[in-house]
């Protein structure tokens, strides 16, 4: 029965040994363990704070990236619109310049044609006048080969001049 009910001496010595071990543990082991636990706890807190900061920074970077992406899209759209407007303007300018050049060429061609026409008409008139003079000369030589026909022709011209 001794095992079931221990003696008072045994309880006393177990209590004394327990208190000695407890004091040794409290003096030498608990403080370093508690310090290590506090250091570990502060490291974990710092790591959690750093993770939160990193998360906030990532969210800020993400929002900045979204903002930059929107600005880039707006700038791209603006550049495309300006390029389209410039292309349309250049196209219209080319059309107007082409029309002006075509109108000038047509006007120059008409003026050239008119000049050539006048020159041709003048040449035809000169040719007709020359031919008329030659024909008249030949006719007059034939008709005026004798004095009698010359006098008749002069009289005829004088009568016509008086009538007019």
């Amino acid at each position: 029965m001794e095992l079931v009910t221990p003696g008072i001496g045994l309880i006393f010595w177990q209590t004394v040994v327990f208190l000695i071990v407890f004091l040794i543990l409290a003096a030498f082991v608990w403080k370093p363990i508690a310090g290590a636990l506090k250091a570990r706890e502060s490291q974990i807190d710092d790591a959690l704070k750093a993770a939160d900061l990193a998360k906030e920074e990532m969210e800020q970077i993400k929002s900045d990236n979204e903002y930059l992406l929107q600005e880039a899209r707006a700038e791209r759209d603006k550049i495309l619109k300006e390029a389209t407007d410039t292309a349309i303007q250049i196209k219209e300018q080319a059309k107007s310049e082409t029309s002006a050049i075509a109108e000038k060429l047509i006007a120059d061609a008409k003026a050239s044609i008119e000049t050539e026409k006048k020159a041709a008409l003048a040449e035809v008139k000169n040719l007709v006048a020359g031919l008329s003079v030659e024909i008249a000369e030949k006719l007059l030589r034939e008709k005026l080969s004798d004095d009698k026909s010359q006098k008749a022709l002069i009289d005829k011209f004088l009568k016509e001049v008086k009538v007019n």
Side-chain angles (χ1 to χ4, degrees):
M1 261 294 196
E2 266 184 53
L3 287 177
V4 178
T5 57
I8 299 244
L10 181 63
I11 293 175
F12 173 76
W13 287 114
Q14 281 183 347
T15 305
V16 170
V17 170
F18 176 76
L19 288 175
I20 292 172
V21 170
F22 183 77
L23 289 175
I24 291 173
L25 285 177
F28 297 108
V29 177
W30 287 73
K31 287 182 183 179
I33 289 175
L37 286 176
K38 284 191 182 215
R40 177 74 176 145
E41 183 181 350
S42 68
Q43 285 179 347
I44 290 172
D45 285 342
D46 291 343
L48 287 175
K49 288 177 184 176
D52 287 340
L53 283 174
K55 184 178 178 183
E56 289 175 8
E57 287 178 8
M58 289 299 290
E59 288 176 3
Q60 182 66 33
I61 290 172
K62 185 178 179 182
S63 67
D64 289 346
N65 285 341
E66 287 295 324
Y67 177 73
L68 290 174
L69 186 62
Q70 287 176 353
E71 280 186 356
R73 285 180 181 152
E75 186 69 23
R76 180 201 63 196
D77 292 342
K78 180 182 171 186
I79 290 171
L80 285 175
K81 185 178 183 306
E82 288 176 0
T84 303
D85 292 344
T86 304
I88 290 171
Q89 185 180 12
I90 289 171
K91 185 178 174 183
E92 292 298 323
Q93 185 179 7
K95 280 183 183 180
S96 65
E97 287 177 2
T98 303
S99 297
I101 290 171
E103 288 175 7
K104 185 177 186 250
L105 287 175
I106 290 171
D108 290 346
K110 285 181 180 180
S112 176
I113 290 170
E114 190 63 33
T115 305
E116 293 291 327
K117 181 180 168 184
K118 287 180 181 177
L121 284 175
E123 189 178 331
V124 168
K125 284 181 183 179
N126 288 337
L127 187 60
V128 168
L131 287 175
S132 298
V133 168
E134 279 184 40
I135 291 172
E137 188 180 317
K138 287 183 182 180
L139 279 173
L140 285 176
R141 280 191 193 150
E142 289 263 332
K143 284 192 169 186
L144 300 177
S145 53
D146 60 345
D147 282 341
K148 186 177 178 186
S149 58
Q150 284 179 8
K151 284 184 182 183
L153 186 60
I154 289 171
D155 288 339
K156 180 180 171 190
F157 283 144
L158 286 175
K159 285 181 186 174
E160 285 179 10
V161 169
K162 290 180 184 177
V163 173
N164 288 335

